[in-house]
Amino acid sequence: MLLELAESILTALNYEVQTFSNPEKALAAYSAAQPPPDLIITDFAMHEMDGLALIRQCRRIHPKQKILLVSGTVDEEVFYTADAKPDVFLAKPYPPGKLAAIVQGVLTH
């Protein structure tokens, strides 16, 4: 449900959005993408791998990839000592305007 909400918010702002409910499929699409996406938004809690593992894999492919990590189960402390960190963290639940502002901020810096 939150995936669809985020897609709806960002599509309404004229961002091109691709969504994946499976991190392995997302990683395969990311690996094949030319050029890579401007931003990856991932949740921390996923079934096959956690968001930090996905970030690690994406950064191996494109070290400067911009990444937003969202979570309703952990806070920013989860990645303080991680070898691959997101550019920004957003706690769930979040108001639609906050997601829009964070995405715009990440993409303009």
Side-chain angles (χ1 to χ4, degrees), residues 22-95:
N22 176 302
E24 294 293 337
K25 289 182 182 178
L27 189 56
Y30 179 73
S31 298
Q34 291 300 325
D38 294 327
L39 175 66
I40 292 175
I41 302 173
T42 185
D43 200 310
F44 177 79
M46 297 181 286
H47 297 292
E48 292 82 10
M49 71 174 75
D50 67 36
L52 293 179
L54 181 65
I55 291 170
R56 192 174 312 107
Q57 294 292 333
C58 291
R59 291 265 169 81
R60 283 185 185 142
I61 299 165
H62 296 288
K64 299 203 183 268
Q65 176 65 58
K66 293 181 180 182
I67 302 174
L68 164 60
L69 177 67
V70 298
S71 181
T73 59
V74 298
D75 61 22
E76 294 179 63
E77 290 180 16
V78 74
F79 61 81
Y80 286 164
T81 60
D83 57 341
K85 297 173 177 43
D87 294 281
V88 67
F89 176 82
L90 178 59
K92 294 190 294 187
Y94 51 80

Side-chain angles (χ1 to χ4, degrees), residues 1-11 17 19 21 94 99:
M1 183 169 145
L2 287 178
L3 178 64
E4 292 83 8
L5 176 60
E7 179 181 20
S8 209
I9 293 165
L10 297 174
T11 301
V17 179
T19 61
S21 56
Y94 51 80
L99 175 64

